[in-house]
Amino acid sequence: MPSPKARNSAGRSGSVPSPGGGNGRYEFIALNRTPPHLLQRQGSDPTSARLRASESPNRRRGSGSSTSSTGGQQLPEEDCMRLNPSFIEIALSSLLAIDLWLSKRLGVCACEDSSWGSVRPLMKLIEISGHGIPWLAGAAYCLYKSDSIAGQEVMLNLLMALVLDLVLVGVVKAAVRRRRPAHNQMDMFATFSVDRYSFPSGHATRAAMCARFLLAHLVLAAPLRVLVLLWASFVGFSRVLLGRHNVTDVVFGFFMGYWQYNLVEMLWLSPLMFQSMIGQLD
Ligand SMILES: CC(C)=CCC/C(C)=C/CC/C(C)=C/COP(=O)(O)O
């Protein structure tokens, strides 16, 4: 029987008998490593062979081969990836598992029979306070009623922000297509077809963006500023309590809404632009 050292040096030189053959013994080979006998076949330079062996599974997938050789056995590439997930894949699946578990536990107002079912009407009231229709209608009404150019400018930009939010959330929801939690009752008021998807929470994006907008342009008194922040937080939290969303939908929604406000500031319609728009309408 050869010593381990002798076996190692044999492996380095590429003279290991092919698994399953030669000594009649199958050897365990990690699926993310290319077996030494294949390394030798791919090229004579050991450095480039090692580099190829350490290529990411994604890159290998793009190489055109649909199967991986593991010691004579042909396994579908996707099976190899499942057996040998990367650190990021493990971290993501763990995060998603925690997210689903936590969201299910927090969905205490998901229906009337839930443990906090009695506060469901209050949660639905908070839901309506963050809905797109009252915000769009309110901004349009204030724009119509405003008699100063400055007031009209702010309201017009709020309207633009609300429309931008609906578009961006719709695009992300349609791209990600994450289903709403199983315990959600689909009894929401006025929804678009993309609203059957849950990532990100449109209420959370709107709450975060509108809160920043209000704090920057409309609400100056300290107690009211606190109320605005509390309202935005409640809108986000109520989405999980109602069972409409998972926690990550709301957390991402808050981030997205926060950044959407930066976009609104960049695209801000100035009084000059506003006046020329009004002039074109006349
Ligand atoms: C004037 C007009 C076309 C208004 C549309 C407003 C509308 C239907 C917004 C959808 C709001 C909504 C239900 C979003 C979903 O929020 P999630 O937090 O459940 O994602």
Side-chain angles (χ1 to χ4, degrees):
M1 180 180 168
S3 72
K5 196 173 171 190
R7 257 190 271 141
N8 282 346
S9 63
R12 269 197 298 274
S13 69
S15 61
V16 168
S18 66
N23 59 8
R25 208 158 54 89
Y26 280 92
E27 287 186 48
F28 175 76
I29 296 175
L31 292 180
N32 67 342
R33 300 237 179 105
T34 308
H37 64 284
L38 282 185
L39 283 185
Q40 219 192 13
R41 229 182 284 155
Q42 284 167 352
S44 53
D45 172 19
T47 311
S48 61
R50 263 199 305 277
L51 278 173
R52 270 195 302 273
S54 64
E55 272 180 355
S56 73
N58 287 342
R59 226 182 123 188
R60 272 185 279 134
R61 189 160 44 166
S63 69
S65 157
S66 61
T67 57
S68 289
S69 173
T70 57
Q73 274 180 301
Q74 295 287 313
L75 290 175
E77 191 92 0
E78 55 274 22
D79 281 359
C80 300
M81 290 173 72
R82 225 176 293 137
L83 287 171
N84 186 38
S86 69
F87 173 76
I88 292 178
E89 281 171 325
I90 294 173
L92 268 180
S93 354
S94 311
L95 176 71
L96 285 181
I98 295 170
D99 182 33
L100 293 182
W101 171 80
L102 190 63
S103 308
K104 194 163 184 204
R105 291 213 61 178
L106 289 174
V108 289
C109 308
C111 59
E112 280 75 18
D113 303 336
S114 308
S115 51
W116 284 25
S118 56
V119 284
R120 190 172 160 83
L122 176 66
M123 292 301 141
K124 290 186 91 171
L125 210 61
I126 297 175
E127 174 173 63
I128 291 173
S129 77
H131 196 282
I133 289 181
W135 275 92
L136 283 164
Y141 180 78
C142 292
L143 176 64
Y144 172 70
K145 281 281 167 193
S146 180
D147 45 15
S148 72
I149 285 288
Q152 287 171 351
E153 179 193 344
V154 169
M155 285 306 146
L156 185 77
N157 280 287
L158 180 57
L159 265 178
M160 178 195 72
L162 291 166
V163 173
L164 187 76
D165 170 67
L166 286 177
V167 172
L168 292 180
V169 169
V171 167
V172 179
K173 277 189 175 180
V176 177
R177 290 165 175 252
R178 185 185 199 191
R179 292 267 161 209
R180 288 191 185 261
H183 54 282
N184 172 46
Q185 286 185 352
M186 203 52 201
D187 58 348
M188 280 166 60
F189 147 74
T191 54
F192 289 121
S193 63
V194 280
D195 290 325
R196 64 179 181 274
Y197 300 124
S198 76
F199 186 93
S201 161
H203 278 74
T205 58
R206 195 161 31 253
M209 184 191 71
C210 290
R212 280 196 75 192
F213 195 103
L214 292 180
L215 295 181
H217 299 283
L218 293 166
V219 179
L220 300 177
L224 285 181
R225 291 172 82 81
V226 174
L227 266 183
V228 167
L229 288 175
L230 281 177
W231 166 78
S233 315
F234 274 128
V235 167
F237 195 47
S238 70
R239 307 308 290 151
V240 182
L241 295 185
L242 280 168
R244 306 263 193 246
H245 287 281
N246 296 304
V247 176
T248 45
D249 304 332
V250 172
V251 172
F252 186 84
F254 277 144
F255 274 114
M256 191 168 153
Y258 185 90
W259 287 106
Q260 271 174 196
Y261 179 74
N262 292 347
L263 197 59
V264 170
E265 289 275 277
M266 279 164 58
L267 301 174
W268 191 262
L269 296 174
S270 65
L272 215 63
M273 289 163 76
F274 179 64
Q275 270 170 350
S276 69
M277 278 169 72
I278 296 278
Q280 278 172 6
L281 287 176
D282 287 341

